Amino acid sequence: MIPAQFDYVAPTSLEDALSALAQAGDDAKIIAGGQSLLPVLRMRLNAPELVIDLGKIDSLRGVRDDGDAIVIGAMTTHATVGSDPLVAEHAAVIHEAVKHLADAQIRHRGTFGGALAHADPGGDLGAPALILGAQFVIAGSGGTRTVAADDFFVDLFETAIGDDEILTEVRIPKHTGWGAGYEKFVRIAHQWPIVSVAAAVKVDGGTISEARVGFANMGSTPIRARGVEQALTGQSASADAVRTAAAQAAEGTNPPSDLNGDADYRRHVATVLVRRAVLAATGA
Ligand SMILES: Cc1cc2nc3c(=O)[nH]c(=O)nc-3n(C[C@H](O)[C@H](O)[C@H](O)COP(=O)(O)OP(=O)(O)OC[C@H]3O[C@@H](n4cnc5c(N)ncnc54)[C@H](O)[C@@H]3O)c2cc1C
C-alpha cells in the first residue's frame, strides 16, 4: 500500500528537530533509518501529517569513549555499531547481537536508537542494552533527561520517550573483559527471534563473579533472567554449573503464544538458549 500523504522536513540540528516536533505535536513522527516506520506507514497503521527525518543531524551519529562508558549516538547504524572496536571491547554482547540483526541491507539503514525506540519485544538490541545497564539520553523542549534501561522499556512498542522527545544517545557502562554470548532462535533467516538470549559473564579465576542474562520475546519488553543470574554467581565456570543454572531460565517470564510457538515451547527454547549463551560467554 502507498502511505497516506505527509509533509517532510530534514532539519540539520537537534534544536530544529525538537522545535518541529513541538509545533506539530501528535501529528508528527520521527524517522531514523525507516526500517520499521516505513512498513508501518505503508500498512497505514500510522498516518502522521509530518515526518521529521533525523538523517542530517551529524551530532546524533557515532560511537565515543566517555571514561567508564561508551556512548552510541541514536542515529548510528547497526553496521557501524557492529564494526566499532569500542563496542567490541567494552560491550561485547552488543557486538554479538548486532551480527544476528536482520540482513546487511537493513543493518546499513537501520539505527541503534531507532531499534531501541521502536521497542519491538522481539528486537535484538533490547536485551543486551538492558543487561548492560544502558542509560538512555532523551532530549525535549525542556532539556535533556537520562532514563535507566530498567525504566526505558514500558510495554509492547512503548518506551519512556515522550511524544515531544527525541532519543539522542545511549550510554553503555563499560564491561571490559566480560565474556559475551548471544543466541537467537528463528524459523526464517534474517528475521526477529522467536526467543533470543543475551549473556554477559565475568569470570575470575575460574569462578563466575557476575552474570547478566536477558531475553527477547519472553514478555512484552526485554527482561532479565534474574533466577539464572543468581544461580550462576559464585559457581565455577563449568558446563555442569551452567546447565544447572539454565534449568531456571523460564522462571518469572510471560512469553507470548503465536504461530511460531506457544508459551511452553518458548520456555523450553529459552532454557536451551540460556545454556548455550552462557557457555559461549564463559568459554566453558
Ligand atoms: C525485513 C526486516 C527484518 C528485520 N529484522 C530484524 C531483526 O532480526 N532484529 C531486529 O532487532 N530488528 C529487525 N528489523 C528492524 C530493524 O532493526 C530496524 O532498524 C529498527 O527496528 C528500527 O530502526 P530504524 O532506524 O529503521 O527506525 P525507524 O523505522 O526510522 O523508526 C522506528 C520507530 O522509532 C522512532 N524513532 C526512531 N528514532 C528515534 C529517536 N532517535 N528518538 C525517538 N524516536 C525515534 C520512530 O518514530 C518510529 O516510531 C528488521 C526490519 C526489517 C524491515
Side-chain angles (χ1 to χ4, degrees):
M1 219 188 288
I2 295 172
Q5 194 167 0
F6 54 79
D7 289 330
Y8 170 88
V9 290
T12 51
S13 72
L14 178 63
E15 292 68 32
D16 286 351
L18 285 170
S19 111
L21 198 50
Q23 276 170 30
D26 286 353
D27 295 331
K29 201 80 187 137
I30 294 291
I31 190 164
Q35 298 305 293
S36 294
L37 184 64
L38 285 178
V40 166
L41 299 188
R42 288 174 66 94
M43 286 185 277
R44 299 210 178 191
L45 296 173
N46 201 318
E49 287 179 13
L50 176 68
V51 170
I52 303 169
D53 188 346
L54 302 183
K56 292 188 176 166
I57 307 177
D58 291 339
S59 60
L60 297 181
R61 216 171 272 123
V63 182
R64 67 174 203 274
D65 193 321
D66 191 25
D68 56 2
I70 59 167
V71 182
I72 304 178
M75 285 298 288
T76 312
T77 63
H78 303 311
T80 299
V81 170
S83 61
D84 189 278
L86 286 172
V87 176
E89 183 179 359
H90 302 297
V93 69
I94 293 178
H95 176 79
E96 291 301 319
V98 171
K99 288 182 199 166
H100 297 265
L101 193 158
D103 57 34
Q105 213 172 357
I106 291 163
R107 290 198 293 272
H108 278 85
R109 293 292 312 175
T111 65
F112 193 71
L116 291 165
H118 188 57
D120 188 320
D124 283 298
L125 298 178
L130 181 69
I131 67 169
L132 296 186
Q135 301 272 323
F136 294 79
V137 182
I138 300 170
S141 45
T144 297
R145 64 193 180 102
T146 301
V147 176
D150 284 339
D151 300 320
F152 181 77
F153 299 103
V154 175
D155 205 345
L156 213 65
F157 300 107
E158 190 184 341
T159 70
I161 305 171
D163 285 344
D164 57 348
E165 292 182 314
I166 293 175
L167 175 66
T168 58
E169 58 189 28
V170 184
R171 299 177 60 83
I172 314 278
K174 284 183 181 170
H175 286 68
T176 321
W178 286 51
Y182 189 79
E183 290 288 330
K184 173 171 175 172
F185 186 69
V186 285
R187 203 165 53 82
I188 302 167
H190 305 310
Q191 282 292 351
W192 289 266
I194 295 170
V195 176
S196 75
V197 173
V201 175
K202 193 168 179 218
V203 179
D204 292 310
T207 300
I208 297 173
S209 56
E210 283 183 77
R212 308 270 177 83
V213 182
F215 293 117
N217 245 353
M218 289 293 285
S220 60
T221 64
I223 49 172
R224 296 263 297 264
R226 302 262 184 200
V228 176
E229 294 176 355
Q230 280 166 15
L232 286 169
T233 306
Q235 299 297 319
S236 69
S238 67
D240 280 350
V242 171
R243 188 184 307 274
T244 305
Q248 317 186 22
E251 270 176 26
T253 62
N254 187 19
S257 290
D258 57 30
L259 288 176
N260 287 315
D262 64 17
D264 280 343
Y265 178 70
R266 280 191 162 86
R267 288 190 188 97
H268 168 71
V269 172
T271 307
V272 175
L273 296 190
V274 164
R275 177 166 46 81
R276 290 181 189 165
V278 176
L279 283 175
T282 58

